[in-house]
Coordinates of all heavy atoms in Angstrom, one line a residue:
S1 N -102.5 -15.3 -47.6 CA -102.6 -16.7 -47.3 C -102.2 -17.6 -48.5 O -101.6 -18.6 -48.4 CB -104.0 -17.1 -46.7 OG -104.3 -16.3 -45.6
L2 N -102.8 -17.1 -49.7 CA -102.5 -17.9 -50.9 C -101.0 -17.9 -51.2 O -100.5 -18.8 -51.8 CB -103.3 -17.4 -52.0 CG -104.8 -17.8 -52.0 CD1 -105.6 -16.8 -52.8 CD2 -104.9 -19.2 -52.5
E3 N -100.3 -16.8 -50.9 CA -98.9 -16.7 -51.2 C -98.1 -17.6 -50.3 O -96.9 -17.9 -50.6 CB -98.4 -15.2 -51.0 CG -99.1 -14.2 -52.0 CD -98.7 -12.8 -51.7 OE1 -97.6 -12.6 -50.9 OE2 -99.4 -11.9 -52.1
W4 N -98.6 -18.0 -49.1 CA -97.9 -18.7 -48.1 C -98.6 -20.0 -47.8 O -99.2 -20.1 -46.7 CB -97.6 -17.9 -46.9 CG -96.8 -16.6 -47.2 CD1 -97.3 -15.3 -47.4 CD2 -95.4 -16.5 -47.4 NE1 -96.3 -14.5 -47.6 CE2 -95.2 -15.1 -47.7 CE3 -94.3 -17.4 -47.4 CZ2 -93.9 -14.6 -48.0 CZ3 -93.1 -16.9 -47.7 CH2 -92.9 -15.6 -48.0
P5 N -98.7 -21.0 -48.7 CA -99.5 -22.2 -48.4 C -98.9 -23.1 -47.3 O -99.6 -24.1 -46.9 CB -99.6 -22.9 -49.7 CG -98.4 -22.4 -50.4 CD -98.1 -21.0 -50.0
L6 N -97.6 -22.9 -47.0 CA -97.0 -23.8 -46.0 C -96.6 -22.9 -44.8 O -96.4 -21.7 -44.9 CB -95.7 -24.4 -46.6 CG -95.9 -25.3 -47.8 CD1 -94.5 -25.8 -48.3 CD2 -96.7 -26.6 -47.4
D7 N -96.5 -23.6 -43.6 CA -96.1 -22.9 -42.4 C -94.7 -22.5 -42.5 O -93.9 -23.2 -43.2 CB -96.3 -23.9 -41.2 CG -96.3 -23.1 -39.9 OD1 -96.4 -21.8 -39.9 OD2 -96.3 -23.8 -38.9
G8 N -94.4 -21.4 -41.9 CA -93.0 -20.9 -42.0 C -93.0 -19.5 -41.4 O -93.9 -19.1 -40.6
P9 N -91.9 -18.7 -41.6 CA -91.7 -17.4 -40.9 C -92.9 -16.5 -41.0 O -93.2 -15.8 -40.1 CB -90.5 -16.8 -41.7 CG -89.7 -18.0 -42.2 CD -90.8 -19.0 -42.5
F10 N -93.6 -16.4 -42.2 CA -94.7 -15.5 -42.3 C -95.7 -15.8 -41.2 O -96.3 -14.9 -40.5 CB -95.4 -15.6 -43.7 CG -96.6 -14.8 -43.8 CD1 -96.6 -13.4 -44.1 CD2 -97.9 -15.3 -43.6 CE1 -97.7 -12.7 -44.3 CE2 -99.1 -14.6 -43.7 CZ -99.0 -13.2 -44.0
W11 N -96.1 -17.1 -41.1 CA -97.1 -17.5 -40.1 C -96.6 -17.4 -38.7 O -97.3 -17.0 -37.7 CB -97.7 -18.9 -40.5 CG -98.3 -18.9 -41.8 CD1 -97.8 -19.4 -42.9 CD2 -99.6 -18.4 -42.2 NE1 -98.6 -19.3 -44.0 CE2 -99.7 -18.6 -43.5 CE3 -100.6 -17.7 -41.5 CZ2 -100.8 -18.2 -44.3 CZ3 -101.7 -17.3 -42.2 CH2 -101.8 -17.5 -43.6
Q12 N -95.4 -17.9 -38.5 CA -94.8 -17.9 -37.2 C -94.7 -16.5 -36.5 O -94.8 -16.4 -35.3 CB -93.5 -18.7 -37.2 CG -93.7 -20.2 -37.5 CD -92.5 -20.9 -38.0 OE1 -91.4 -20.3 -37.9 NE2 -92.6 -22.1 -38.5
S13 N -94.4 -15.5 -37.4 CA -94.3 -14.2 -36.9 C -95.6 -13.6 -36.4 O -95.7 -12.6 -35.7 CB -93.6 -13.3 -37.9 OG -94.6 -13.0 -39.0
R14 N -96.7 -14.3 -36.8 CA -98.1 -13.8 -36.5 C -98.7 -14.8 -35.4 O -99.9 -14.7 -35.2 CB -98.9 -13.8 -37.7 CG -98.4 -12.6 -38.6 CD -98.9 -12.8 -40.1 NE -98.7 -11.6 -40.8 CZ -97.5 -11.2 -41.3 NH1 -96.4 -11.9 -41.1 NH2 -97.4 -10.1 -42.0
T15 N -98.0 -15.8 -34.9 CA -98.5 -16.7 -34.0 C -97.7 -16.7 -32.7 O -96.5 -17.0 -32.7 CB -98.4 -18.1 -34.7 OG1 -99.3 -18.2 -35.8 CG2 -98.9 -19.2 -33.7
P16 N -98.4 -16.5 -31.6 CA -97.7 -16.5 -30.3 C -97.4 -17.9 -29.9 O -98.0 -18.9 -30.3 CB -98.7 -15.9 -29.3 CG -100.1 -16.1 -30.0 CD -99.8 -16.1 -31.4
D17 N -96.4 -18.1 -29.1 CA -96.0 -19.3 -28.6 C -96.5 -19.6 -27.2 O -96.2 -18.9 -26.3 CB -94.4 -19.4 -28.5 CG -93.9 -20.8 -28.0 OD1 -94.7 -21.6 -27.6 OD2 -92.7 -20.9 -28.0
P18 N -97.5 -20.4 -27.1 CA -98.2 -20.6 -25.8 C -97.2 -21.1 -24.7 O -97.5 -20.9 -23.5 CB -99.3 -21.6 -26.1 CG -98.9 -22.3 -27.3 CD -98.1 -21.3 -28.1
T19 N -96.1 -21.7 -25.0 CA -95.2 -22.1 -24.0 C -94.4 -21.0 -23.4 O -93.7 -21.1 -22.4 CB -94.1 -23.1 -24.6 OG1 -93.3 -22.4 -25.6 CG2 -94.8 -24.3 -25.2
E20 N -94.7 -19.8 -24.0 CA -94.0 -18.5 -23.4 C -95.1 -17.7 -22.7 O -94.7 -16.6 -22.2 CB -93.4 -17.7 -24.6 CG -92.3 -18.4 -25.3 CD -91.1 -18.5 -24.3 OE1 -90.8 -17.7 -23.6 OE2 -90.4 -19.6 -24.5
I21 N -96.3 -18.2 -22.5 CA -97.3 -17.5 -21.8 C -97.4 -17.9 -20.4 O -97.8 -19.1 -20.1 CB -98.7 -17.6 -22.5 CG1 -98.6 -17.0 -24.0 CG2 -99.8 -16.9 -21.7 CD1 -99.8 -17.2 -24.8
D22 N -97.0 -17.1 -19.5 CA -96.9 -17.5 -18.0 C -97.7 -16.6 -17.1 O -97.5 -16.7 -15.9 CB -95.5 -17.7 -17.6 CG -94.7 -16.4 -17.6 OD1 -95.3 -15.3 -18.0 OD2 -93.5 -16.4 -17.2
L23 N -98.5 -15.6 -17.7 CA -99.3 -14.8 -16.8 C -100.7 -15.5 -16.5 O -101.1 -16.5 -17.2 CB -99.4 -13.4 -17.3 CG -99.9 -13.1 -18.8 CD1 -101.4 -13.6 -19.0 CD2 -99.8 -11.7 -19.0
P24 N -101.5 -15.0 -15.6 CA -102.8 -15.6 -15.3 C -103.8 -15.4 -16.5 O -103.8 -14.3 -17.1 CB -103.3 -14.8 -14.1 CG -102.1 -14.3 -13.4 CD -101.1 -14.0 -14.6
F25 N -104.5 -16.5 -16.9 CA -105.5 -16.3 -18.0 C -106.6 -17.3 -17.7 O -106.5 -18.3 -17.1 CB -104.8 -16.6 -19.3 CG -104.3 -17.9 -19.6 CD1 -105.2 -19.0 -20.0 CD2 -103.0 -18.2 -19.5 CE1 -104.7 -20.2 -20.3 CE2 -102.5 -19.5 -19.8 CZ -103.4 -20.5 -20.2
L26 N -107.7 -16.9 -18.3 CA -108.9 -17.7 -18.3 C -109.3 -17.9 -19.8 O -109.6 -16.9 -20.5 CB -110.1 -17.0 -17.6 CG -111.5 -17.6 -17.8 CD1 -111.6 -19.0 -17.3 CD2 -112.6 -16.7 -17.1
S27 N -109.1 -19.1 -20.3 CA -109.3 -19.4 -21.7 C -110.7 -20.0 -21.8 O -111.0 -21.1 -21.2 CB -108.3 -20.5 -22.2 OG -108.5 -20.8 -23.5
C28 N -111.5 -19.4 -22.6 CA -112.9 -19.7 -22.8 C -113.2 -20.2 -24.2 O -113.1 -19.5 -25.1 CB -113.9 -18.6 -22.4 SG -113.6 -17.9 -20.8
A29 N -113.6 -21.5 -24.3 CA -113.8 -22.2 -25.6 C -115.2 -22.4 -25.8 O -116.1 -22.5 -24.9 CB -113.0 -23.4 -25.7
N30 N -115.6 -22.7 -27.1 CA -116.9 -23.1 -27.5 C -116.9 -24.4 -28.2 O -116.1 -24.6 -29.1 CB -117.5 -22.0 -28.5 CG -119.0 -22.2 -28.8 OD1 -119.5 -23.3 -28.9 ND2 -119.7 -21.0 -29.0
W31 N -117.7 -25.4 -27.7 CA -117.8 -26.7 -28.3 C -118.1 -26.6 -29.7 O -117.7 -27.5 -30.5 CB -118.8 -27.5 -27.6 CG -118.6 -27.9 -26.1 CD1 -119.5 -27.6 -25.1 CD2 -117.5 -28.6 -25.5 NE1 -119.0 -28.0 -23.9 CE2 -117.8 -28.6 -24.1 CE3 -116.3 -29.1 -26.0 CZ2 -116.9 -29.3 -23.2 CZ3 -115.5 -29.7 -25.1 CH2 -115.8 -29.8 -23.7
G32 N -118.8 -25.6 -30.1 CA -119.3 -25.5 -31.6 C -118.5 -24.5 -32.4 O -119.0 -24.1 -33.5
G33 N -117.3 -24.1 -31.9 CA -116.5 -23.1 -32.7 C -115.6 -23.6 -33.7 O -114.7 -22.9 -34.1
M34 N -115.7 -24.9 -34.0 CA -114.7 -25.5 -34.9 C -114.5 -24.7 -36.2 O -115.3 -24.1 -36.7 CB -115.2 -26.9 -35.3 CG -116.5 -27.0 -36.0 SD -117.2 -28.7 -36.0 CE -117.8 -28.8 -34.3
G35 N -113.2 -24.7 -36.5 CA -112.8 -24.0 -37.8 C -112.1 -22.7 -37.5 O -111.5 -22.2 -38.5

């Protein structure tokens, strides 16, 4: 993470694109999970 302080290919290759997710899902969030 220290080697890559800006967003770019390193991070994008490890981050799914939610606009490409089209199967059924139940997303469960926590009001206190910030961070």
Side-chain angles (χ1 to χ4, degrees):
S1 301
L2 282 160
E3 294 175 20
W4 304 99
L6 297 176
D7 196 9
F10 175 85
W11 299 105
Q12 291 161 11
S13 69
R14 291 158 170 78
T15 296
D17 180 355
T19 66
E20 296 295 323
I21 297 174
D22 63 357
L23 53 64
F25 67 81
L26 169 61
S27 178
C28 300
N30 189 325
W31 296 122
M34 59 195 73

